[in-house]
Amino acid sequence: MFPAAASAYGGGTQAERFPQTVTAAQFAAYAQEKLEQELAARGETRRHTLTLTRAAAAMHAPAGALICEVKVPGAIRYGGLTPVHVLVYVDGKFYRRAVLYFRVQVYDTVLVAVHDLRPEQTIGAEDVRLAEVTVEDADTVYLKEVAEVSGRVPTRFLSSGKPLVATVLQAARVLEAGDPVTLVTRYHGIEVKAEGVALQRGRIGEHIRVRNARSAKVLLGTVVDAHTVQLGGDG
């Protein structure tokens, strides 16, 4: 640089004015370490990969005590792009910011459908298998034990290979309107039974209306099984 030009830009070469450098590799390492810390803090122990999709260029800084502060400004997006900010300070004063993007992919071994499953199709052990899948959302509850799905039915069509999650399964329908049922209630600690008729379809655990066959009184009860409804009152 010619003396006149150097004077106009504050004097000295670029290397003299900015003697410190944070390399692209250092930015990536700082950001990846921060993501690992964030995942650990939320209790994430499943296998995962962090892929750098947009790197930060090397940054030249003036002389002084240089500190890099790393932040993840939002929630980590499983399967999507997550930005990581690296704030560079020199002598305690903010200097510049670098932004990197990572694709965070988390994997889990869960139950998946062996074949297509239709709504209301009762699921058995032969309909599911364990397989490693890519987690789509951090808050999704995947099912891993056959006992958790056996006897339940999908709320919607599930294609082959689809992971089974709690929100797409429900108890099987065991009662139809008009089915005879046994009405069970407790009175002063004594169990009392009566014959009744279901007035609605029902799944185990659901509340349905029933009619006492003797008194014709309509009551609300909880489906216990395909033959029994538990009443909350005298019946």
Side-chain angles (χ1 to χ4, degrees), residues 118-124 127 147-156 166 168-176 179 200-208 222-228:
R118 302 181 306 277
E120 300 298 334
Q121 177 180 343
T122 303
I123 299 173
D127 299 313
E148 295 179 294
V149 303
S150 184
R152 304 184 76 186
V153 299
T155 59
R156 57 180 175 81
V168 300
L169 298 181
Q170 61 185 349
R173 184 182 295 131
V174 294
L175 283 175
E176 296 290 336
D179 285 350
Q200 295 174 271
R201 290 176 165 184
R203 305 176 192 278
I204 294 175
E206 279 189 336
H207 299 300
I208 66 168
T222 303
V223 179
V224 177
D225 55 36
H227 309 286
T228 311

Side-chain angles (χ1 to χ4, degrees), residues 140-151:
T140 299
V141 179
Y142 292 91
L143 303 177
K144 303 181 180 183
E145 302 292 336
V146 174
E148 295 179 294
V149 303
S150 184

Side-chain angles (χ1 to χ4, degrees), residues 172-187:
R173 184 182 295 131
V174 294
L175 283 175
E176 296 290 336
D179 285 350
V181 293
T182 298
L183 307 179
V184 179
T185 190
R186 298 190 70 82
Y187 183 72

Side-chain angles (χ1 to χ4, degrees), residues 69-152:
E69 181 183 4
V70 189
K71 295 183 177 181
V72 179
I76 295 178
R77 297 180 57 194
Y78 286 21
L81 296 182
T82 297
V84 182
H85 293 190
V86 183
L87 284 64
V88 179
Y89 295 84
V90 178
D91 288 335
K93 296 182 179 179
F94 175 72
Y95 174 59
R96 288 177 63 188
R97 180 195 310 264
V99 180
L100 304 86
Y101 286 85
F102 283 80
R103 186 177 301 280
V104 180
Q105 291 181 294
V106 179
Y107 305 90
D108 202 357
T109 300
V110 304
L111 291 174
V112 302
V114 170
H115 46 75
D116 293 347
L117 297 174
R118 302 181 306 277
E120 300 298 334
Q121 177 180 343
T122 303
I123 299 173
E126 69 281 1
D127 299 313
V128 296
R129 64 181 175 85
L130 285 171
E132 186 177 65
V133 301
T134 301
V135 177
E136 297 179 355
D137 186 272
D139 298 322
T140 299
V141 179
Y142 292 91
L143 303 177
K144 303 181 180 183
E145 302 292 336
V146 174
E148 295 179 294
V149 303
S150 184
R152 304 184 76 186

